[in-house]
Amino acid sequence: MGDFTLVDTLVLIVYVAGIAWLGARFGKDQESTQDYFLGGRKIPGWAIGLSVMATQASAITFIGAPGWGFDGGLERLATFINVPLAMAVLIVVLVPIFHRAGIYSIYELLERRFGPLTRSLAALLFLIARGLATGVVLYAPALVLAVVTGWNVNVTIVLMAVIAVSYTVLGGISAVIWTDVVQMFVLWLGAILSMVLMVTSLPGGWSDVFAYGAANGLFDTLDFSLDPTVTYSIWAGLIGGVVMHVAYFGTDQSQIQRVLTSPSIAEGQRSLLIGGYLLVPQMLLFLFIGVMLATYYQQHGLIAPENLNELFPRYVVEAFPVGITGLVIAGVFAAAMSSLDSALNSLSAVTIRDFYARYVKPDASERHYLRASRWATVFWGLYATAFAFFAGNLGPVIEAVNRIGSWFYGALLGVFLLAVMTHRSNGRGAVAGMIVGMAAVWAASQLGISWLYQNAVGLIVSVGVGYAVSLTAPAPSREQLSDVVIDETAPDMQALLKGRSADARIIGDDARVTRRRCIGLIVWFFVSLAALGALQLWANAQ
Amino acid sequence: MANAAERAAATPANESVAAPERLARRLDESGARQRLARFGAARFEPAWLSLWAVAIGRSGETAQPAPAAWLLASSLTPRALLWPEALAFDEAACGDENWLCGGDCPTAASFETLWLWERLARPRRWGLRVQPATCRPVALPLWLGYHDGRHTRLIVLSGVSGEPLASLKPAVLAGFSR
């Protein structure tokens, strides 16, 4: 114990090589960008759902969340408690429209609805935000490896980028999703192993953890303060957090692209259900590891490292048996690569679909676009690597990533809601809404209010300004509304269609299933809330 | 709606309008079921929609024997379908199940306008022109899907390519009403 031994190194190498081999295998039969970016639209919902989970449990969560738990207990769960509600909104509002539109990049829908300027602006914002975040995603695990092995951080960044870029270039989104499925299990195995080993190292086991957590207020998750400067109040989590997660999972190409790979709307919705049910427990798991680490450090009289991101990996190397250390660090790698690969593939998709095929070479063959897509993946890998070299100066890593996103997410979601929910909005309003919405987020960030509220500010301002400015230009044409409007709503036509539908052959019963799924997610939200409230009440009664 | 003189310019002179010939259905039932499920349909049925086809070729050429493409439309379709090869009919197809009248024959000017939209999207075909004399009725195979939610939504799928054809929805709905 105490070192990253040769056996650990071998475990890590075997794992990483295995993932690279698995990912590369998917490149063999790819002939078009539909294969490369959408996996031929035949990937099952459960695999997509696990992939979304793996991406969420990225290295920055794997490393950062135990640091959060150590520092503030479960309070930051307020940011994630809203995920079931956000998933229900996506399942009902955005997924059916995106899927029916048959698009590769969701920003294509904005061109059909608002025109090329809105599409290009939204796609450009995505490239900037996701490109920066990808650099951070690469930096975090490299930092861990440097702490664990003593290697140079920059060399580690380059090594990780080469591995992830290689299999993503060869295998596209299929490689991303199926390697994520494997990595998801490694990641959870690493986290659960850590918990078990930590508990066994405490004399009183679980009772020590709960006693320490209760005594130090680490189980105080629900803060009902109405003060907008309280960062992790339940209201900030509900109002700002729902907006942030709907925007993140619904308007960030790196997330929603995977939902578009499903063979049907129902499968796409199923993939989001997995995240809706499991993301809160997953975050709870990582935060709880932080609480356990706090207990461990207190009992052993240890002093925490200045950078809390190093807390968990340091503990792993110092306390875990040989071989297990390698496996847990492989879990960190798994998390890092699962975030990096999906980001690279989506950055490539937007670059090729929204810019290259739109403006540079609109009439090329599928083979040409496939080759260009692979080169775009390489380009973004290089960009992320270069940015990762500077990520160390951005402060606590996980917050940095969320902050980059929060500048854009609210305004971007506002534009998509304008596209889908209103029939009067047009291109002029959408562009104005997006720009003013982002300016409002910047202004809100100067007021000292919780950063979670900034997403809601961006959404409200972009929708309000976007709609008002739309009134100064002509209404959109019938064709521009074709993706979001049902032509056949007249009562007599509905009666006719219902009659025909009743006589037609059955495919499935997705509408009713979707309703049940959404109700299930809302129930799950309240169950989670009640469980956390009960834990808090119990802790405060001790 | 076209007046009689305009329509006469678009339909072959001194010919009574023949019964539409059926284009070959290439997407079978299981394929249609799979694709319609992708679009959220809960129920489905086959259908035929009568449209009007006009050949596209170089100016001054007769469209026969090998037009560069065909344009399929009716007076009710906001956009035309571009058929980039020879029309492939299925002589053996029969039965009257879900035969929908897709609307009147567009005027020659309407076909020109529809072709202008297509040419804007495909600049390489700029030199080709509509050949009004070749206008003929055809029946396009469709698969119709129904999504039962708050409103029942109609999904129109091509029975040839399997692609969703939103531009045919007005014609299909009009066909239902008739």
Side-chain angles (χ1 to χ4, degrees), chain A residues 37 348 352 356 366-378:
Chain A
F37 292 132
S348 169
I352 296 302
Y356 185 73
E366 268 301 311
R367 189 171 292 274
H368 174 86
Y369 287 135
L370 181 59
R371 206 168 45 242
S373 304
R374 290 184 161 139
W375 278 113
T377 308
V378 173

Side-chain angles (χ1 to χ4, degrees), chain A residues 41 99-100 263-265 363 479 486-488 493-494 496-498 500-502 504-508 511, chain B residues 29 33 36-40 42-46 79 98 124 146 148 151-154 169 173 176-177:
Chain A
R41 292 191 196 270
H99 222 285
R100 262 196 294 270
S264 68
I265 292 176
D363 244 351
E479 197 169 323
I486 307 178
D487 292 324
E488 54 273 23
M493 190 51 73
Q494 277 296 304
L496 187 65
L497 285 177
K498 281 186 199 304
R500 291 194 75 97
S501 173
R505 279 167 262 174
I506 293 174
I507 296 175
Chain B
E29 184 175 327
R33 183 187 289 267
L36 283 166
R38 207 190 104 199
F39 294 104
R43 289 166 179 272
F44 78 119
E45 62 181 345
R79 290 283 296 266
N98 293 323
R124 281 182 183 175
Y146 301 97
D148 296 320
H151 289 114
T152 299
R153 180 191 284 265
L154 172 70
K169 219 189 234 189
L173 292 172
F176 284 163
S177 302

Side-chain angles (χ1 to χ4, degrees), chain A residues 229-289:
Chain A
T229 61
V230 175
T231 308
Y232 298 109
S233 73
I234 190 74
W235 309 117
L238 275 179
I239 298 167
V242 167
V243 174
M244 180 178 76
H245 283 118
V246 171
Y248 174 63
F249 290 111
T251 67
D252 185 316
Q253 175 73 12
S254 70
Q255 296 298 316
I256 199 71
Q257 185 180 331
R258 272 170 291 190
V259 178
L260 300 179
T261 64
S262 59
S264 68
I265 292 176
E267 282 288 307
Q269 291 170 326
R270 190 171 296 133
S271 71
L272 291 179
L273 272 188
I274 293 175
Y277 282 111
L278 292 182
L279 276 174
V280 175
Q282 178 172 277
M283 185 48 70
L284 182 63
L285 174 71
F286 289 115
L287 288 174
F288 211 86
I289 287 175

